[in-house]
Amino acid sequence: MILSTMNFENINFLAVFVAAIAAFILGAIWYSAIFGKAWQKELGFTDEYLQKANMPLVFGSSFVLMLITSFGLAMFNAHSGQSLDATLGAFHGLMVGLMFVGTSMGINYLYQRRSIKLWLIDAGYQILFLTIEGAIIGAWQ
């Protein structure tokens, strides 16, 4: 099994956790103060609709997923064979965000006939949070 051959000693789990917290905080700012109303409009969400959600479940699940993403990026960085710092970690996060996450979202948004504006908001957040996570993980490597 691949996991049994993986070496986790090069992963700083505190950095993984802090990176996930940073992504979560960025999301709170991104989807409220910066792009909240535009995001709602693109999706056709009303304030009333959003208030009906089980927010502890949404926020808790989101954080767990951000933690998994952060851990995955840490694994990628730890096994890149390069000596990491904040700059290289940020570059890795940026490339993962641009080349994998942003493009995958773009494919889905094309078929779902979502707007380019919504894609820019959502993919922009993902790319930025992966870049930040990469910088944090790289700085603590």
Side-chain angles (χ1 to χ4, degrees):
M1 174 179 240
I2 292 175
L3 285 179
S4 65
T5 63
M6 294 190 72
N7 182 355
F8 295 105
E9 69 185 35
N10 293 330
I11 294 177
N12 182 331
F13 291 96
L14 180 58
V16 167
F17 185 73
V18 169
I21 290 172
F24 190 81
I25 291 169
L26 175 66
I29 296 166
W30 191 269
Y31 286 104
S32 62
I34 301 174
F35 295 110
K37 291 299 178 189
W39 176 79
Q40 275 185 251
K41 182 180 176 192
E42 290 301 308
L43 289 169
F45 289 174
T46 63
D47 290 336
E48 295 77 27
Y49 174 77
L50 291 175
Q51 290 170 358
K52 291 179 184 176
N54 181 344
M55 296 317 288
L57 178 64
V58 171
F59 289 150
S61 299
S62 294
F63 182 75
V64 168
L65 293 170
M66 288 174 203
L67 195 57
I68 292 167
T69 302
S70 183
F71 181 70
L73 189 57
M75 288 175 45
F76 174 79
N77 281 338
H79 293 85
S80 71
Q82 297 175 306
S83 178
L84 289 179
D85 59 12
T87 302
L88 187 56
F91 179 73
H92 286 170
L94 176 66
M95 290 298 103
V96 168
L98 282 172
M99 303 297 179
F100 296 99
V101 177
T103 55
S104 294
M105 290 176 69
I107 292 166
N108 287 343
Y109 279 37
L110 286 169
Y111 283 98
Q112 295 169 4
R113 294 180 179 66
R114 302 279 186 162
S115 71
I116 187 80
K117 186 175 182 179
L118 182 62
W119 176 78
L120 288 170
I121 293 169
D122 289 340
Y125 164 66
Q126 296 287 323
I127 292 164
L128 184 57
F129 103 59
L130 282 160
T131 302
I132 292 169
E133 281 189 343
I136 292 169
I137 292 164
W140 282 7
Q141 190 63 22

